[in-house]
Amino acid sequence: MGRGSGFLIGLLGAVWLLGSGHGEQQPPETAAQRCFCQVSGYLDDCTCDVETIDRFNNYRLFPRLQKLLESDYFRYYKVNLKRPCPFWNDISQCGRRDCAVKPCQSDEVPVGIKSASYKYSEEANNLIEECEQAERLGAVDESLSEETQKAVLQWTKHDDSSDNFCEADDIQSPDAEYVDLLLNPERYTGYKGPDAWKIWNVIYEENCFKPQTIKRPLNPLASGQGKSEGLCVEKRAFYRLISGLHASINVHLSARYLLQETWLEKKWGHNITEFQQRFDGILTEGEGPRRLKNLYFLYLIELRALSKVLPFFERPDFQLFTGNKIQDEENKMLLLEILHEIKSFPLHFDENSFFAGDRKEAHKLKEDFRLHFRNISRIMDCVGCFKCRLWGKLQTQGLGTALKILFSEKLIANMPESGPSYEFHLTRQEIVSLFNAFGRISTSVKELENFRNLLQNIH
């Protein structure tokens, strides 16, 4: 035989081996690859990559942040879970035990937190009480000191909430109660079906920016809802923040799922099937990995806000006041330690690309951005599961506070080094929600590492 015919026989033999299964085959794709293979490398609109975030969060930030959130200042959150839904009346309340929230008894909350005049220093307390008393009289009394007159005007301006991205609860309402977040953890409650879908449908369909030519399906987890093509960077970012928040919540529910229930105990843990249904690239037709990348985008936005607000917490007058002086000082040291660690992150998101165009258009876009988000915060009062409502309100307020910080850079830079800050201010509610909301996203990033390992050997 010639050389040419020998080559042909060899080629035919190789084809036969491959066709009959005797050749070397590629191993089937693992479940981890289907969920995470696209969740790597650089994120859209960012100079940061997923791997850098994983290392920074899981090994440098997460442990210390969890310790801070277990402290008294951050574990007690005042919330009104009885506010009526402003959009529709036919709310079906979840009757499951796991949907319920157990509020604190009066004697369980530290005195320094529940006192009506909690602020950050005795000097600030006195001044603010004087201001609030003057405001109640309905006028700026000329007999007040010049400093107090100025404070009255500035505090009125601040309370007008024109810089706020959330519609906050009236914590002075008799319906507002303190909740211990550690005793009411965010986890799977069984709240699902049409009522749960309705919430996300309204958020995505009526309150997310989207091109007029794209119609998302009613089911916000179905494929196709992740399209944000044709949007400017600000509107694309808004959509990705909401999608990232949705993804983070679904990670929590999959990681703390009720696996087994007996008369004696409940067993909570990772539900791999639930996670795959929400994030597997094949089961979600490619949308799952995109949602996870949006979670990382949300992480970067809140991380950036925390790095920006460091000067507010560094002021000597600021205290994490609970009434326990030693604990309060230790917690402030830990807080500053965490914020300096965040400041050192090498690949922060650059928010200067936001609202950088024509001044008039940028102002209108920013206002649309703020009003859309305020509306989403109001929708949380329509959630039929009280525990879901609690964590939904907290996390939307936390993200709203992060946005307020990002758009207040000049006000933060002009804060006085001591004494009350009139132009830029954060309430205790905003501080608690800001750090707990970021703690939830930080936990989600950490849980993704756990799910990667659990799915590694599943096909």
Side-chain angles (χ1 to χ4, degrees):
M1 268 190 207
R3 183 180 299 173
S5 60
F7 172 76
L8 181 60
I9 291 170
L11 181 61
L12 291 172
V15 171
W16 178 83
L17 283 170
L18 290 171
S20 61
H22 293 287
E24 185 177 346
Q25 294 181 331
Q26 291 293 324
E29 201 174 33
T30 66
Q33 289 171 320
R34 291 197 300 273
C35 290
F36 294 106
C37 68
Q38 298 175 42
V39 189
S40 61
Y42 285 93
L43 297 167
D44 298 336
D45 299 324
C46 303
T47 59
C48 187
D49 59 278
V50 166
E51 292 76 15
T52 299
I53 295 173
D54 283 339
R55 287 192 300 270
F56 180 78
N57 179 75
N58 297 351
Y59 302 106
R60 293 173 61 180
L61 200 58
F62 178 78
R64 282 182 287 181
L65 182 59
Q66 294 307 303
K67 181 180 178 183
L68 181 71
L69 296 180
E70 290 171 2
S71 68
D72 283 352
Y73 187 90
F74 289 99
R75 69 186 288 181
Y76 295 106
Y77 179 65
K78 197 170 189 182
V79 62
N80 183 357
L81 297 176
K82 298 176 183 177
R83 283 178 63 169
C85 171
F87 300 106
W88 58 84
N89 297 320
D90 56 333
I91 298 180
S92 178
Q93 300 291 358
C94 173
R96 297 170 60 93
R97 283 184 300 168
D98 293 324
C99 288
V101 170
K102 182 184 178 184
C104 296
Q105 298 298 315
S106 180
D107 59 354
E108 294 175 330
V109 182
V111 175
I113 290 177
K114 66 184 179 182
S115 62
S117 60
Y118 66 78
K119 295 292 176 183
Y120 309 126
S121 69
E122 185 176 353
E123 179 188 355
N125 278 350
N126 295 337
L127 179 58
I128 290 162
E129 284 174 4
E130 192 177 351
C131 294
E132 290 171 344
Q133 182 180 4
E135 189 176 354
R136 283 195 294 271
L137 294 174
V140 180
D141 190 335
E142 292 183 359
S143 66
L144 297 174
S145 68
E146 183 180 346
E147 184 181 17
T148 303
Q149 289 182 45
K150 180 181 177 183
V152 171
L153 295 173
Q154 294 291 355
W155 215 261
T156 303
K157 179 181 175 183
H158 169 78
D159 286 341
D160 188 45
S161 74
S162 61
D163 58 345
N164 291 338
F165 283 75
C166 284
E167 184 165 308
D169 284 348
D170 175 11
I171 60 172
Q172 304 304 327
S173 165
D175 288 332
E177 297 178 291
Y178 282 100
V179 173
D180 186 337
L181 298 174
L182 299 184
L183 297 182
N184 294 273
E186 184 182 29
R187 59 190 178 192
Y188 183 79
T189 64
Y191 178 65
K192 55 186 177 181
D195 294 317
W197 291 127
K198 187 175 183 179
I199 298 296
W200 286 110
N201 287 339
V202 172
I203 289 174
Y204 281 111
E205 292 297 333
E206 299 178 21
N207 294 282
C208 259
F209 298 102
K210 63 175 182 177
Q212 295 298 318
T213 56
I214 292 180
K215 177 68 177 178
R216 288 189 289 271
L218 287 178
N219 182 343
L221 283 183
S223 63
Q225 69 78 195
K227 300 187 184 301
S228 56
E229 295 87 352
L231 297 176
C232 65
V233 64
E234 294 87 356
K235 293 182 178 181
R236 189 163 64 242
F238 187 97
Y239 168 78
R240 293 178 69 193
L241 290 175
I242 302 307
S243 174
L245 179 59
H246 194 180
S248 180
I249 291 170
N250 283 329
V251 170
H252 305 153
L253 305 188
S254 301
R256 301 193 72 170
Y257 198 92
L258 182 58
L259 301 176
Q260 185 179 346
E261 183 174 11
T262 67
W263 287 104
L264 297 175
E265 63 175 350
K266 293 180 179 181
K267 183 180 179 183
W268 303 86
H270 295 83
N271 187 321
I272 296 172
T273 302
E274 186 77 16
F275 184 86
Q276 288 177 279
Q277 287 175 348
R278 298 173 187 272
F279 300 111
D280 185 287
I282 293 177
L283 296 178
T284 62
E285 299 181 28
E287 289 299 326
R290 192 173 294 134
R291 295 169 192 148
L292 292 179
K293 292 191 84 169
N294 290 340
L295 188 161
Y296 280 97
F297 179 76
L298 172 63
Y299 182 95
L300 284 178
I301 291 293
E302 295 204 9
L303 191 77
R304 181 58 167 166
L306 288 169
S307 74
K308 289 280 187 180
V309 81
L310 173 60
F312 177 80
F313 294 107
E314 280 187 317
R315 293 176 308 126
D317 282 351
F318 177 82
Q319 299 176 35
L320 295 173
F321 186 68
T322 67
N324 184 330
K325 187 175 182 180
I326 295 176
Q327 186 184 79
D328 294 346
E329 290 175 354
E330 290 176 351
N331 286 334
K332 182 175 180 180
M333 288 177 59
L334 178 58
L335 173 76
L336 294 179
E337 188 181 303
I338 290 170
L339 291 177
H340 279 286
E341 185 74 70
I342 289 172
K343 190 82 172 176
S344 73
F345 183 71
L347 298 170
H348 272 295
F349 178 80
D350 181 9
E351 73 283 1
N352 291 323
S353 60
F354 284 172
F355 312 113
D358 177 80
R359 199 167 185 176
K360 189 174 181 180
E361 289 182 12
H363 179 76
K364 182 182 183 304
L365 186 58
K366 180 180 177 182
E367 185 62 10
D368 287 346
F369 201 100
R370 188 180 69 84
L371 293 177
H372 273 64
F373 199 85
R374 279 180 71 89
N375 221 33
I376 290 174
S377 73
R378 297 175 71 207
I379 292 170
M380 292 301 117
D381 285 317
C382 302
V383 177
C385 161
F386 283 115
K387 187 168 289 182
C388 308
R389 186 183 297 190
L390 163 67
W391 285 99
K393 287 166 79 79
L394 181 142
Q395 289 177 82
T396 51
Q397 186 179 23
L399 176 53
T401 303
L403 294 173
K404 169 183 170 178
I405 292 166
L406 287 179
F407 300 135
S408 301
E409 184 173 14
K410 290 182 180 178
L411 299 181
I412 294 172
N414 293 330
M415 284 189 309
E417 291 186 7
S418 62
S421 171
Y422 303 124
E423 294 290 344
F424 178 82
H425 176 73
L426 293 179
T427 66
R428 180 180 175 275
Q429 288 291 106
E430 289 175 311
I431 295 167
V432 172
S433 64
L434 173 68
F435 281 90
N436 273 283
F438 182 68
R440 294 282 75 212
I441 304 161
S442 174
T443 299
S444 290
V445 171
K446 177 67 175 174
E447 287 293 358
L448 291 184
E449 180 181 59
N450 295 331
F451 276 112
R452 277 192 190 95
N453 296 330
L454 291 169
L455 293 169
Q456 202 64 53
N457 297 317
I458 297 176
H459 296 281

PDB file of all heavy atoms in Angstrom, residues 313-332:
ATOM      1  N   PHE A 313     -17.895  58.516  59.858  1.00  0.00           N
ATOM      2  CA  PHE A 313     -17.731  57.673  61.042  1.00  0.00           C
ATOM      3  C   PHE A 313     -16.429  57.958  61.788  1.00  0.00           C
ATOM      4  O   PHE A 313     -16.299  57.608  62.959  1.00  0.00           O
ATOM      5  CB  PHE A 313     -17.774  56.192  60.640  1.00  0.00           C
ATOM      6  CG  PHE A 313     -19.121  55.749  60.118  1.00  0.00           C
ATOM      7  CD1 PHE A 313     -19.325  55.493  58.777  1.00  0.00           C
ATOM      8  CD2 PHE A 313     -20.190  55.604  60.983  1.00  0.00           C
ATOM      9  CE1 PHE A 313     -20.562  55.093  58.297  1.00  0.00           C
ATOM     10  CE2 PHE A 313     -21.434  55.211  60.519  1.00  0.00           C
ATOM     11  CZ  PHE A 313     -21.618  54.958  59.165  1.00  0.00           C
ATOM     12  N   GLU A 314     -15.465  58.589  61.123  1.00  0.00           N
ATOM     13  CA  GLU A 314     -14.191  58.898  61.774  1.00  0.00           C
ATOM     14  C   GLU A 314     -14.279  60.089  62.713  1.00  0.00           C
ATOM     15  O   GLU A 314     -13.405  60.255  63.571  1.00  0.00           O
ATOM     16  CB  GLU A 314     -13.119  59.189  60.708  1.00  0.00           C
ATOM     17  CG  GLU A 314     -12.522  57.950  60.089  1.00  0.00           C
ATOM     18  CD  GLU A 314     -11.365  58.277  59.164  1.00  0.00           C
ATOM     19  OE1 GLU A 314     -11.491  59.250  58.383  1.00  0.00           O
ATOM     20  OE2 GLU A 314     -10.346  57.582  59.214  1.00  0.00           O
ATOM     21  N   ARG A 315     -15.322  60.903  62.584  1.00  0.00           N
ATOM     22  CA  ARG A 315     -15.422  62.088  63.436  1.00  0.00           C
ATOM     23  C   ARG A 315     -15.460  61.676  64.910  1.00  0.00           C
ATOM     24  O   ARG A 315     -16.155  60.731  65.278  1.00  0.00           O
ATOM     25  CB  ARG A 315     -16.673  62.888  63.075  1.00  0.00           C
ATOM     26  CG  ARG A 315     -16.606  63.503  61.680  1.00  0.00           C
ATOM     27  CD  ARG A 315     -17.883  64.220  61.298  1.00  0.00           C
ATOM     28  NE  ARG A 315     -19.046  63.367  61.489  1.00  0.00           N
ATOM     29  CZ  ARG A 315     -20.110  63.693  62.210  1.00  0.00           C
ATOM     30  NH1 ARG A 315     -20.154  64.855  62.823  1.00  0.00           N
ATOM     31  NH2 ARG A 315     -21.118  62.873  62.317  1.00  0.00           N
ATOM     32  N   PRO A 316     -14.737  62.364  65.765  1.00  0.00           N
ATOM     33  CA  PRO A 316     -14.671  61.982  67.179  1.00  0.00           C
ATOM     34  C   PRO A 316     -16.026  62.013  67.877  1.00  0.00           C
ATOM     35  O   PRO A 316     -16.247  61.284  68.846  1.00  0.00           O
ATOM     36  CB  PRO A 316     -13.698  62.995  67.791  1.00  0.00           C
ATOM     37  CG  PRO A 316     -13.499  64.057  66.780  1.00  0.00           C
ATOM     38  CD  PRO A 316     -13.847  63.506  65.454  1.00  0.00           C
ATOM     39  N   ASP A 317     -16.959  62.838  67.394  1.00  0.00           N
ATOM     40  CA  ASP A 317     -18.281  62.927  68.031  1.00  0.00           C
ATOM     41  C   ASP A 317     -19.163  61.717  67.742  1.00  0.00           C
ATOM     42  O   ASP A 317     -20.137  61.477  68.453  1.00  0.00           O
ATOM     43  CB  ASP A 317     -19.023  64.181  67.555  1.00  0.00           C
ATOM     44  CG  ASP A 317     -18.516  65.423  68.256  1.00  0.00           C
ATOM     45  OD1 ASP A 317     -17.725  65.265  69.203  1.00  0.00           O
ATOM     46  OD2 ASP A 317     -18.885  66.530  67.853  1.00  0.00           O
ATOM     47  N   PHE A 318     -18.833  60.974  66.694  1.00  0.00           N
ATOM     48  CA  PHE A 318     -19.699  59.857  66.327  1.00  0.00           C
ATOM     49  C   PHE A 318     -19.506  58.673  67.274  1.00  0.00           C
ATOM     50  O   PHE A 318     -18.379  58.292  67.580  1.00  0.00           O
ATOM     51  CB  PHE A 318     -19.437  59.398  64.888  1.00  0.00           C
ATOM     52  CG  PHE A 318     -20.260  58.202  64.525  1.00  0.00           C
ATOM     53  CD1 PHE A 318     -21.576  58.350  64.114  1.00  0.00           C
ATOM     54  CD2 PHE A 318     -19.749  56.922  64.656  1.00  0.00           C
ATOM     55  CE1 PHE A 318     -22.357  57.245  63.828  1.00  0.00           C
ATOM     56  CE2 PHE A 318     -20.519  55.812  64.362  1.00  0.00           C
ATOM     57  CZ  PHE A 318     -21.830  55.970  63.950  1.00  0.00           C
ATOM     58  N   GLN A 319     -20.626  58.127  67.732  1.00  0.00           N
ATOM     59  CA  GLN A 319     -20.594  56.930  68.584  1.00  0.00           C
ATOM     60  C   GLN A 319     -21.606  55.915  68.081  1.00  0.00           C
ATOM     61  O   GLN A 319     -22.661  56.270  67.564  1.00  0.00           O
ATOM     62  CB  GLN A 319     -20.964  57.278  70.030  1.00  0.00           C
ATOM     63  CG  GLN A 319     -20.050  58.259  70.716  1.00  0.00           C
ATOM     64  CD  GLN A 319     -20.580  58.590  72.111  1.00  0.00           C
ATOM     65  OE1 GLN A 319     -21.141  57.740  72.791  1.00  0.00           O
ATOM     66  NE2 GLN A 319     -20.413  59.828  72.520  1.00  0.00           N
ATOM     67  N   LEU A 320     -21.271  54.639  68.248  1.00  0.00           N
ATOM     68  CA  LEU A 320     -22.255  53.571  68.072  1.00  0.00           C
ATOM     69  C   LEU A 320     -22.913  53.399  69.441  1.00  0.00           C
ATOM     70  O   LEU A 320     -22.642  52.452  70.167  1.00  0.00           O
ATOM     71  CB  LEU A 320     -21.572  52.277  67.611  1.00  0.00           C
ATOM     72  CG  LEU A 320     -20.913  52.324  66.232  1.00  0.00           C
ATOM     73  CD1 LEU A 320     -20.132  51.046  65.967  1.00  0.00           C
ATOM     74  CD2 LEU A 320     -21.957  52.530  65.146  1.00  0.00           C
ATOM     75  N   PHE A 321     -23.801  54.303  69.780  1.00  0.00           N
ATOM     76  CA  PHE A 321     -24.257  54.444  71.154  1.00  0.00           C
ATOM     77  C   PHE A 321     -25.339  53.434  71.529  1.00  0.00           C
ATOM     78  O   PHE A 321     -26.404  53.389  70.931  1.00  0.00           O
ATOM     79  CB  PHE A 321     -24.790  55.865  71.374  1.00  0.00           C
ATOM     80  CG  PHE A 321     -25.144  56.161  72.797  1.00  0.00           C
ATOM     81  CD1 PHE A 321     -24.155  56.252  73.760  1.00  0.00           C
ATOM     82  CD2 PHE A 321     -26.467  56.325  73.186  1.00  0.00           C
ATOM     83  CE1 PHE A 321     -24.477  56.526  75.084  1.00  0.00           C
ATOM     84  CE2 PHE A 321     -26.795  56.593  74.503  1.00  0.00           C
ATOM     85  CZ  PHE A 321     -25.795  56.687  75.463  1.00  0.00           C
ATOM     86  N   THR A 322     -25.028  52.617  72.544  1.00  0.00           N
ATOM     87  CA  THR A 322     -26.020  51.698  73.106  1.00  0.00           C
ATOM     88  C   THR A 322     -26.177  51.895  74.614  1.00  0.00           C
ATOM     89  O   THR A 322     -27.109  51.362  75.212  1.00  0.00           O
ATOM     90  CB  THR A 322     -25.620  50.222  72.866  1.00  0.00           C
ATOM     91  OG1 THR A 322     -24.440  49.914  73.623  1.00  0.00           O
ATOM     92  CG2 THR A 322     -25.367  49.951  71.394  1.00  0.00           C
ATOM     93  N   GLY A 323     -25.254  52.667  75.210  1.00  0.00           N
ATOM     94  CA  GLY A 323     -25.267  52.845  76.662  1.00  0.00           C
ATOM     95  C   GLY A 323     -24.179  52.066  77.362  1.00  0.00           C
ATOM     96  O   GLY A 323     -23.876  52.300  78.532  1.00  0.00           O
ATOM     97  N   ASN A 324     -23.569  51.108  76.646  1.00  0.00           N
ATOM     98  CA  ASN A 324     -22.456  50.334  77.196  1.00  0.00           C
ATOM     99  C   ASN A 324     -21.164  50.947  76.655  1.00  0.00           C
ATOM    100  O   ASN A 324     -20.750  50.655  75.528  1.00  0.00           O
ATOM    101  CB  ASN A 324     -22.585  48.863  76.776  1.00  0.00           C
ATOM    102  CG  ASN A 324     -21.511  47.977  77.389  1.00  0.00           C
ATOM    103  OD1 ASN A 324     -20.399  48.427  77.651  1.00  0.00           O
ATOM    104  ND2 ASN A 324     -21.848  46.718  77.602  1.00  0.00           N
ATOM    105  N   LYS A 325     -20.530  51.798  77.458  1.00  0.00           N
ATOM    106  CA  LYS A 325     -19.427  52.616  76.973  1.00  0.00           C
ATOM    107  C   LYS A 325     -18.265  51.788  76.433  1.00  0.00           C
ATOM    108  O   LYS A 325     -17.734  52.078  75.347  1.00  0.00           O
ATOM    109  CB  LYS A 325     -18.934  53.538  78.094  1.00  0.00           C
ATOM    110  CG  LYS A 325     -17.894  54.548  77.623  1.00  0.00           C
ATOM    111  CD  LYS A 325     -17.528  55.531  78.731  1.00  0.00           C
ATOM    112  CE  LYS A 325     -16.523  56.552  78.218  1.00  0.00           C
ATOM    113  NZ  LYS A 325     -16.138  57.526  79.278  1.00  0.00           N
ATOM    114  N   ILE A 326     -17.876  50.741  77.156  1.00  0.00           N
ATOM    115  CA  ILE A 326     -16.727  49.930  76.737  1.00  0.00           C
ATOM    116  C   ILE A 326     -17.034  49.220  75.421  1.00  0.00           C
ATOM    117  O   ILE A 326     -16.240  49.246  74.474  1.00  0.00           O
ATOM    118  CB  ILE A 326     -16.359  48.900  77.836  1.00  0.00           C
ATOM    119  CG1 ILE A 326     -15.873  49.638  79.086  1.00  0.00           C
ATOM    120  CG2 ILE A 326     -15.297  47.935  77.328  1.00  0.00           C
ATOM    121  CD1 ILE A 326     -15.571  48.729  80.264  1.00  0.00           C
ATOM    122  N   GLN A 327     -18.210  48.601  75.354  1.00  0.00           N
ATOM    123  CA  GLN A 327     -18.605  47.895  74.132  1.00  0.00           C
ATOM    124  C   GLN A 327     -18.742  48.854  72.965  1.00  0.00           C
ATOM    125  O   GLN A 327     -18.338  48.554  71.836  1.00  0.00           O
ATOM    126  CB  GLN A 327     -19.918  47.148  74.367  1.00  0.00           C
ATOM    127  CG  GLN A 327     -20.347  46.264  73.195  1.00  0.00           C
ATOM    128  CD  GLN A 327     -21.691  45.621  73.440  1.00  0.00           C
ATOM    129  OE1 GLN A 327     -22.720  46.262  73.283  1.00  0.00           O
ATOM    130  NE2 GLN A 327     -21.687  44.359  73.856  1.00  0.00           N
ATOM    131  N   ASP A 328     -19.302  50.038  73.225  1.00  0.00           N
ATOM    132  CA  ASP A 328     -19.475  51.023  72.163  1.00  0.00           C
ATOM    133  C   ASP A 328     -18.134  51.454  71.570  1.00  0.00           C
ATOM    134  O   ASP A 328     -17.996  51.594  70.351  1.00  0.00           O
ATOM    135  CB  ASP A 328     -20.233  52.250  72.690  1.00  0.00           C
ATOM    136  CG  ASP A 328     -21.670  51.922  73.079  1.00  0.00           C
ATOM    137  OD1 ASP A 328     -22.149  50.836  72.708  1.00  0.00           O
ATOM    138  OD2 ASP A 328     -22.304  52.755  73.751  1.00  0.00           O
ATOM    139  N   GLU A 329     -17.131  51.670  72.437  1.00  0.00           N
ATOM    140  CA  GLU A 329     -15.810  52.076  71.957  1.00  0.00           C
ATOM    141  C   GLU A 329     -15.149  50.958  71.164  1.00  0.00           C
ATOM    142  O   GLU A 329     -14.526  51.208  70.116  1.00  0.00           O
ATOM    143  CB  GLU A 329     -14.927  52.470  73.148  1.00  0.00           C
ATOM    144  CG  GLU A 329     -15.355  53.778  73.807  1.00  0.00           C
ATOM    145  CD  GLU A 329     -14.554  54.090  75.057  1.00  0.00           C
ATOM    146  OE1 GLU A 329     -13.731  53.223  75.470  1.00  0.00           O
ATOM    147  OE2 GLU A 329     -14.731  55.186  75.626  1.00  0.00           O
ATOM    148  N   GLU A 330     -15.288  49.713  71.637  1.00  0.00           N
ATOM    149  CA  GLU A 330     -14.707  48.576  70.914  1.00  0.00           C
ATOM    150  C   GLU A 330     -15.358  48.408  69.546  1.00  0.00           C
ATOM    151  O   GLU A 330     -14.677  48.112  68.553  1.00  0.00           O
ATOM    152  CB  GLU A 330     -14.873  47.292  71.738  1.00  0.00           C
ATOM    153  CG  GLU A 330     -14.009  47.259  72.987  1.00  0.00           C
ATOM    154  CD  GLU A 330     -14.265  46.013  73.831  1.00  0.00           C
ATOM    155  OE1 GLU A 330     -15.244  45.276  73.522  1.00  0.00           O
ATOM    156  OE2 GLU A 330     -13.506  45.773  74.788  1.00  0.00           O
ATOM    157  N   ASN A 331     -16.673  48.595  69.494  1.00  0.00           N
ATOM    158  CA  ASN A 331     -17.374  48.435  68.225  1.00  0.00           C
ATOM    159  C   ASN A 331     -17.025  49.532  67.236  1.00  0.00           C
ATOM    160  O   ASN A 331     -16.942  49.290  66.028  1.00  0.00           O
ATOM    161  CB  ASN A 331     -18.885  48.395  68.455  1.00  0.00           C
ATOM    162  CG  ASN A 331     -19.333  47.084  69.069  1.00  0.00           C
ATOM    163  OD1 ASN A 331     -18.682  46.057  68.898  1.00  0.00           O
ATOM    164  ND2 ASN A 331     -20.439  47.112  69.793  1.00  0.00           N
ATOM    165  N   LYS A 332     -16.805  50.755  67.736  1.00  0.00           N
ATOM    166  CA  LYS A 332     -16.393  51.820  66.828  1.00  0.00           C
ATOM    167  C   LYS A 332     -15.009  51.522  66.252  1.00  0.00           C
ATOM    168  O   LYS A 332     -14.752  51.752  65.057  1.00  0.00           O
ATOM    169  CB  LYS A 332     -16.395  53.189  67.522  1.00  0.00           C
ATOM    170  CG  LYS A 332     -16.008  54.289  66.532  1.00  0.00           C
ATOM    171  CD  LYS A 332     -16.103  55.690  67.080  1.00  0.00           C
ATOM    172  CE  LYS A 332     -15.685  56.697  66.010  1.00  0.00           C
ATOM    173  NZ  LYS A 332     -15.746  58.100  66.470  1.00  0.00           N
TER     174      LYS A 332
END
